[in-house]
Amino acid sequence: MMKTIVFLFAFLPSVLGYEPTPNAATTCTCSSVTNIQRVAQSSGSNTYTWTAAPGASQYKVWNKRLSNGQTSSATYTSNTSFTFTGLAGGEYTFYFATVCIGDESNIIGVEDMTLD
């Protein structure tokens, strides 16, 4: 029974006359994050806010330390603010992207300092 179901799902589009276009170019429909501002800074942390993007389901944020190229894991948030914590003092690029259903905006990078 399971093999039959898998077979049907695998060939259903072609049976219905629908063939996906291979390597079709996709157009980003997410608006980029705008008006990014640092609103707080303390030893080892920076807090940023930004303007909500139309159609956003979440925002993706991460950072990269410039002195050693270390990149943090991405964090997803539904808020229009985020506090980067646990940062060693130095220069960083903080990255922000809007996430829409099945899509992601252009990435915005902000170079900034973090205090020791």
Side-chain angles (χ1 to χ4, degrees):
M1 177 70 173
M2 182 58 97
K3 290 180 183 177
T4 304
I5 291 172
V6 171
F7 177 80
L8 287 175
F9 280 113
F11 292 99
L12 188 57
S14 60
V15 170
L16 296 175
Y18 169 76
E19 290 293 331
T21 305
N23 300 322
T26 57
T27 303
C28 181
T29 57
C30 275
S31 298
S32 298
V33 173
T34 59
N35 300 320
I36 301 168
Q37 297 180 11
R38 182 182 66 206
V39 294
Q41 183 179 47
S42 62
S43 179
S45 70
N46 282 6
T47 301
Y48 293 89
T49 63
W50 55 88
T51 301
S57 59
Q58 290 184 314
Y59 301 95
K60 178 179 173 182
V61 297
W62 70 100
N63 67 70
K64 180 177 182 178
R65 189 164 189 212
L66 298 181
S67 64
N68 63 7
Q70 183 178 358
T71 301
S72 71
S73 299
T75 300
Y76 294 85
T77 180
S78 57
N79 298 321
T80 56
S81 66
F82 185 79
T83 301
F84 293 91
T85 60
L87 304 172
E91 293 183 46
Y92 288 81
T93 301
F94 297 93
Y95 296 100
F96 305 85
T98 304
V99 179
C100 300
I101 298 171
D103 199 7
E104 202 171 286
S105 74
N106 294 325
I107 298 166
I108 305 297
V110 175
E111 288 191 16
D112 204 352
M113 299 289 293
T114 299
L115 303 174
D116 283 327

